[in-house]
Amino acid sequence: QVQLVQSGAEVKKPGASVKVSCKASGYTFTSYGISWVRQAPGQGLEWMGWISAYNGNTNYAQKLQGRVTMTTDTSTSTAYMELRSLRSDDTAVYYCARVKLPLIFRGLDPWGQGTLVTVSS
Amino acid sequence: DIQLTQSPSFLSASVGDRVTITCRASQGISSYLAWYQQKPGKAPKLLIYAASTLQSGVPSRFSGSGSGTEFTLTISSLQPEDFATYYCQQLNSVLTFGGGTKVEIK
């Protein structure tokens, strides 16, 4: 079955970077993209961006431009999201989700289990 | 950027009730809208895409409608497992979410 498995929880200090991984299985990795979404404690969902696993094209949320980089490793069917210059308000659960590019209208499905990133001094 | 406004943000309902959630876009987005269900501590789950297409495996009591700037998610007969938070998401190149609607037991 189609599955996305994310890396474990992270604790980082302000100003540091974090890199979260998302390993895909059960489908042809390069036929889809991966989108990243985060959710601060008790808050709603915030879309961060997506990357095409086919050609590496990216589309980032304007708010995160310059701090976020999304990459893929097609040899291991794994997507990565790196966030730099971490602040306390980056504390959130980070999710990856599969997206059928360019058919974005089909939504995000399935989702990974989430990775808690805590930013604290 | 296109903003999505969900209403209500909270609703209290009983098992068997018909429930309707509204999502309004700040500008027209055709039918590029999805609905997700999220339970506490879990990842969101896709229910509906393209405004009205039911995702495979989702019960038929869920339905979506609308186009342009106004959309609705309807649960025809609320079941115990449907108590959750629901989000709409616009599916243009920037995939913003609505603020969410929490459905709780009356």
Side-chain angles (χ1 to χ4, degrees):
Chain A
Q1 76 282 19
V2 176
Q3 196 173 8
L4 300 175
V5 178
Q6 298 183 223
S7 49
E10 304 261 14
V11 178
K12 296 292 183 181
K13 293 194 182 302
S17 299
V18 69
K19 193 169 185 176
V20 179
S21 69
C22 170
K23 183 170 177 58
S25 61
Y27 71 96
T28 302
F29 184 64
T30 52
S31 294
Y32 291 81
I34 294 289
S35 188
W36 291 88
V37 175
R38 67 179 180 178
Q39 186 170 39
Q43 302 301 308
L45 302 171
E46 180 185 11
W47 178 74
M48 300 178 68
W50 52 252
I51 180 167
S52 167
Y54 172 71
N55 58 17
N57 286 351
T58 55
N59 184 14
Y60 300 142
Q62 189 170 10
K63 173 183 176 181
L64 297 171
Q65 288 273 4
R67 284 209 301 140
V68 68
T69 300
M70 296 176 189
T71 56
T72 59
D73 181 346
T74 56
S75 68
T76 60
S77 298
T78 302
Y80 299 92
M81 186 285 299
E82 181 179 33
L83 189 60
R84 300 176 293 278
S85 302
L86 289 168
R87 309 186 289 246
S88 58
D89 62 357
D90 291 317
T91 294
V93 175
Y94 288 75
Y95 294 102
C96 63
R98 188 181 72 165
V99 58
K100 181 62 175 175
L101 297 171
L103 305 176
I104 299 174
F105 68 88
R106 291 189 180 176
L108 308 182
D109 180 74
W111 294 55
Q113 84 276 18
T115 297
L116 176 62
V117 175
T118 303
V119 183
S120 173
S121 54
Chain B
D1 281 0
I2 297 172
Q3 309 299 319
L4 295 180
T5 303
Q6 282 184 240
S7 60
S9 54
F10 173 88
L11 74 87
S12 182
S14 301
V15 172
D17 283 354
R18 181 181 182 88
V19 167
T20 299
I21 298 168
T22 298
C23 179
R24 289 187 173 86
S26 59
Q27 57 186 274
I29 57 172
S30 186
S31 296
Y32 296 131
L33 190 99
W35 290 96
Y36 299 86
Q37 176 193 68
Q38 186 180 33
K39 296 182 180 179
K42 299 294 186 183
K45 172 187 172 185
L46 177 65
L47 298 176
I48 286 168
Y49 63 90
S52 60
T53 303
L54 201 64
Q55 175 69 351
S56 176
V58 174
S60 59
R61 63 181 180 273
F62 291 93
S63 64
S65 64
S67 67
T69 61
E70 187 149 338
F71 303 85
T72 59
L73 171 70
T74 300
I75 309 172
S76 61
S77 177
L78 200 63
Q79 298 301 300
E81 60 268 29
D82 300 337
F83 291 95
T85 301
Y86 294 84
Y87 294 93
C88 58
Q89 181 192 33
Q90 62 110 352
L91 299 170
N92 277 312
S93 62
V94 180
L95 309 181
T96 49
F97 289 91
T101 296
K102 187 173 185 179
V103 178
E104 289 201 344
I105 301 173
K106 196 172 196 175

